[in-house]
Structure formats: C-alpha cells, structure tokens
Amino acid sequence: RVYISGLGMYDMKFNNQPVDDSYLNPANTQYTKTVPYGVYDVTSLLAIGCNAVGIELGNGFYNESDGVWNWQNADWRDEPKLLFEMDITYTDGTSATVLSDSSWKSTSDGPTTANSIYYGEVYDARKEKSGWDQANFDDSHWHNALIVNAPAGKLKHQYIEPMRKTSTFKPKSITKLADGSFIVRSPEMTTGWAKLT
C-alpha cells in the first residue's frame, strides 16, 4: 500500500502503469492548514524482482506563479515536493517500508518544461526519457533528491471523489497561423489534453 502527497500535483506509475484512472491529484486546498494525501493498493502493479516507481510533480495551486487571483503571493507557495511511503507485507508474513529520502533519484529536465493550473503546460517531446519509470532504466546520471521542509498544513487523507477523464471529442476547428503555430478551437469549455497525430 502506498501513501503519497505530491505537491502541487503528482502523477504516479509503477513499472510504467498508472495506479488508477484519476488525474490532477491531490485536490487543491489551503496548504498552510491541510495537506492531502492519497492511498493506493499497488499489489497488482508489482513484479517479482526489481520494480520502479515513477512520479512526476507539477505546480498546481501550491506553486502557481501567474498573477491570477493573487495565487503567486499565497502564504504556502513553494517548489513542488513529495512525501511517499510504501508498506509491503510479503507472503511469508514479513514486512518492509519504502520511504522517499535522499537516496531517491530526481531530475528536472523532463519534457514538461513549464506548467500552470491556468495556462496549461509546455511539453517538449524531444526531451522524453523512454523507460524512465521502469526498473531497467539507467538513472546513474540523475541527481539524488533533496530533503526539504514540509508545508505547514496537517496531513489528511483525501476522501473526496477524484477527477477522471469522462469523454473525448474532436475540435470545432483548426487554424494554421502565418508563424506556423495553430489555434485549436474546442466545442466546449473544458480541461483536458490534446492528442496529436
């Protein structure tokens, strides 16, 4: 079982498999009072032998830098951070615990080069690292994670229903501009991702 709080938002996979069908975790809150965490049973995602957990962190409301509703000056604002615990019970009755600490590897040069809860993300596919969340990935050139201060809020389990993908649709129109960029018009106001081919 995994207990995780990744601020502002996290996306977690085990051996390149998502832990569930939710997105944009955890829910936003007033981080000086409450810090939500999620709980996941990852038994079915583990393999015999070596395993890998891959976690991407984004800013969310915890580190919103754009000047919308003054979020950039929030008391809690700080760099993204992670708290992770995995409690393992083996079939022979023995147990072990895996904790996030300075032995973990981290990197900051992935394909998501900027992200904002209001303005979306900048994604550079040329910077993708194939297999980075799988056990055989060579992370020897990655830096070790840093130990940082916890937010002021109290850790609390997130009981609310998570956000999930509910539908897909085609754009209303696609217009190519003179500079080579495109305007893609959605048929409705929404949050989501663009699938490009």
Side-chain angles (χ1 to χ4, degrees), residues 31-186:
Y31 303 100
T32 50
K33 295 183 179 180
T34 304
V35 177
Y37 69 89
V39 183
Y40 303 90
D41 183 344
V42 298
T43 307
S44 64
L45 302 177
L46 299 178
I48 295 173
C50 293
N51 290 272
V53 57
I55 302 169
E56 291 181 86
L57 297 176
N59 291 318
F61 284 104
Y62 184 65
N63 190 36
E64 178 56 57
S65 60
D66 292 301
V68 177
W69 291 351
N70 208 32
W71 288 114
Q72 76 279 11
N73 294 318
D75 292 345
W76 58 74
R77 187 161 177 248
D78 201 353
E79 294 294 319
K81 55 187 63 172
L82 171 72
L83 182 64
F84 175 98
E85 177 180 326
M86 182 167 69
D87 294 332
I88 305 165
T89 303
Y90 296 101
T91 54
D92 65 2
T94 60
S95 61
T97 301
V98 177
L99 300 172
S100 52
D101 59 21
S102 59
S103 71
W104 280 44
K105 293 297 185 87
S106 67
T107 185
S108 58
D109 60 349
T112 305
T113 59
N115 67 97
S116 164
I117 198 71
Y118 287 105
Y119 300 115
E121 65 183 21
V122 175
Y123 191 89
D124 186 342
R126 297 169 297 180
K127 296 185 177 183
E128 287 181 354
K129 292 174 172 44
S130 180
W132 71 273
D133 53 1
Q134 297 180 45
N136 59 355
F137 181 76
D138 179 11
D139 63 1
S140 59
H141 61 286
W142 285 21
H143 300 291
N144 285 73
L146 300 174
I147 301 298
V148 296
N149 293 326
K154 182 179 179 181
L155 274 170
K156 290 188 179 179
H157 180 250
Q158 179 175 302
Y159 286 105
I160 67 171
E161 189 73 15
M163 293 186 210
R164 292 185 171 93
K165 183 169 70 172
T166 59
S167 63
T168 59
F169 54 81
K170 292 187 177 181
K172 188 174 181 180
S173 64
I174 302 175
T175 306
K176 185 173 183 179
L177 304 181
D179 65 359
S181 62
F182 292 84
I183 295 176
V184 180
R185 297 193 187 279
S186 169

